[in-house]
Amino acid sequence: MRFTSRRRGRLSTLLLSAGAALAVAAPSASAIAPAEVPSIGADTGRFTLPITCDISVPALFNLKVLNLAGTVDIKGIAPVQLAPGQPFYLSQGAGALTLPAWLSSLGGLVTIDKADAVVDNLNIGATGSTPSVINLSKLTDLSVKDIPIKGGQPIVVGLPKTGTFEVGPYKAPNSGVTQLKFLGATANVKLKSTTFGLSLDVRADCKAVTGDASLLSIAVGGAPNSTLVKYTGEPLNFPKAPYNALIGIVNAPYQCSFRGGTYDVGIAVQGTIPLAVSRRGSLPIVSASGALTIPPSTVNKFLDQGFKVLKGNVGKLTLKAQGATPAEPNVVPAAGIAIPPTTLVRDQRLVIPLPATGTLSAGPFTPTATATAVVLGLGSAAATLSFDNETAGTPATCGAPSPDALLVDAPVTP
């Protein structure tokens, strides 16, 4: 698998969990739950992006009074891969814009107990795609009235207040990579104090702290395809990600050679990852887990051959690294990961957690001296499979996804 320069994948990086060296506290991890694995080809995730907000007062000729820190929390689903010119959505979206606690107490002078907020710009870009930017507020009502506020606590504006949103359709470029990005948000906020009978209108103009706010990267390749890609009804039950980090699952499509045939499968990975890596630090992969997804079409092929129970051992899953070492590690332990005997059921997909209990780790990946980012993607995989009462297994080999299944592009910071 070959990477081009600066492929950004964050929502799609959802394999990883960073250690204390990067100061990200990951949620407790365990084996992936089959019911939480999305469809093959889906990239699901949730991230918490640090932002900075210029706070101005319209009544004072939009005089800027403060620059305060906040966060934007967004979750959603996008495709892992796209064909040239293929239309697609970021779907099942939801999130929140968190404005600084200072606003809820007017700097400690007056306690605010309610707020009205109207997000009039929330721009999601897609580099190289058409259109290049979509303003979510033009598609979905992002206004919330009478938000209950406790003095000294942040003001959280739901995006939207209830339900979900979708952004699109975008049309993929003819080649390369398209990056979905958070390009900033603006909101008009009315701060209200019932006790003192006053209100104050402020405006927040918020941008990502680093100025580099990629949500995910999607590789584009293969034959042109005009079929719309929009995932609906997928599991998306992630907790809020740690500050400046993301959490989620990507289920990458693979084609595997086995006993003279070619079979479609999916390899899903989940975890948590920080959004950047220090040049003097490293990017560890810990507390990760995954799953082998066998779609109904492959299940039926096995059943048609007279097989009823599948078992085996996964011995290889490599990651391809650009801008870091090691360059192509096998993240599977030396002993492999057992596939326990599992009954095949016609027309039903099969999701096998790998490992069945516990988690995996790999790396850490260390940035090279000239790297501007650490880019990771899924590589090749291999397993030994057998059926029913067979005592000897047969090798199954799976080449790297094509086009690429990008996992992460973490900028290297000083």
Side-chain angles (χ1 to χ4, degrees), residues 393-412:
T394 304
T397 59
C398 314
S402 180
D404 296 335
L406 302 179
L407 294 175
V408 60
D409 180 345
V412 177

Side-chain angles (χ1 to χ4, degrees), residues 45-379:
R46 182 174 181 175
F47 77 98
T48 300
L49 180 72
I51 59 175
T52 180
C53 299
D54 288 337
I55 307 299
S56 58
V57 181
L60 298 178
F61 305 99
N62 288 315
L63 174 68
K64 176 183 171 182
V65 294
L66 289 168
N67 182 278
L68 298 175
T71 61
V72 62
D73 166 26
I74 295 178
K75 64 179 180 179
I77 302 178
V80 174
Q81 305 164 321
L82 288 167
Q86 189 165 26
F88 68 99
Y89 276 83
L90 172 65
S91 57
Q92 288 185 230
L97 177 67
T98 300
L99 299 174
W102 191 95
L103 290 178
S104 64
S105 60
L106 289 182
L109 299 177
V110 177
T111 298
I112 302 299
D113 52 19
K114 290 185 180 180
D116 300 336
V118 178
V119 178
D120 55 5
N121 285 285
L122 199 162
N123 293 315
I124 305 296
T127 60
S129 294
T130 306
S132 60
V133 181
I134 292 178
N135 182 359
L136 178 59
S137 70
K138 301 300 183 183
L139 306 177
T140 302
D141 182 7
L142 300 180
S143 62
V144 186
K145 289 188 175 295
D146 291 329
I147 303 169
I149 302 297
K150 292 184 179 180
Q153 294 188 10
I155 298 173
V156 180
V157 183
L159 302 173
K161 182 178 180 180
T162 59
T164 61
F165 62 76
E166 56 187 36
V167 188
Y170 297 97
K171 183 180 178 181
N174 291 327
S175 62
V177 171
T178 185
Q179 300 173 327
L180 293 182
K181 293 188 172 187
F182 169 77
L183 298 179
T186 57
N188 294 312
V189 183
K190 181 183 289 292
L191 305 173
K192 299 184 290 187
S193 172
T194 303
T195 302
F196 293 93
L198 59 79
S199 65
L200 177 66
D201 292 331
V202 301
R203 182 163 177 80
D205 185 352
C206 304
K207 296 179 175 62
V209 169
T210 63
D212 181 8
S214 296
L215 308 182
L216 59 91
S217 289
I218 309 170
V220 180
N225 189 337
S226 60
T227 303
L228 176 68
V229 184
K230 182 170 72 171
Y231 289 97
T232 60
E234 299 287 346
L236 195 59
N237 301 313
F238 303 113
K240 185 175 181 180
Y243 179 81
N244 203 23
L246 54 88
I247 182 171
I249 301 172
V250 56
N251 196 356
Y254 278 78
Q255 284 195 327
C256 301
S257 298
F258 178 65
R259 294 186 177 180
T262 300
Y263 298 87
D264 294 324
V265 303
I267 296 179
V269 291
Q270 75 168 357
T272 304
I273 186 171
L275 300 181
V277 56
S278 168
R279 182 166 301 283
R280 293 176 294 278
S282 62
L283 186 67
I285 303 175
V286 298
S287 301
S289 59
L292 174 64
T293 306
I294 303 179
S297 60
T298 299
V299 169
N300 291 347
K301 282 185 179 181
F302 291 151
L303 288 169
D304 290 342
Q305 296 174 55
F307 303 129
K308 297 180 179 179
V309 177
L310 171 71
K311 57 184 181 295
N313 186 279
V314 176
K316 176 184 176 184
L317 174 62
T318 65
L319 299 183
K320 295 280 193 174
Q322 178 191 21
T325 56
E328 192 175 350
N330 179 11
V331 301
V332 176
I337 303 174
I339 300 174
T342 307
T343 300
L344 303 171
V345 179
R346 186 169 294 277
D347 297 328
Q348 291 187 18
R349 79 166 185 170
L350 183 62
V351 180
I352 304 170
L354 300 173
T357 59
T359 59
L360 299 172
S361 62
F365 293 89
T366 303
T368 60
T370 59
T372 57
V374 173
V375 184
L376 300 179
L378 282 169

Side-chain angles (χ1 to χ4, degrees), residues 24-50:
V24 174
S28 59
S30 59
I32 196 168
E36 297 302 317
V37 176
S39 299
I40 295 173
D43 183 355
T44 67
R46 182 174 181 175
F47 77 98
T48 300
L49 180 72

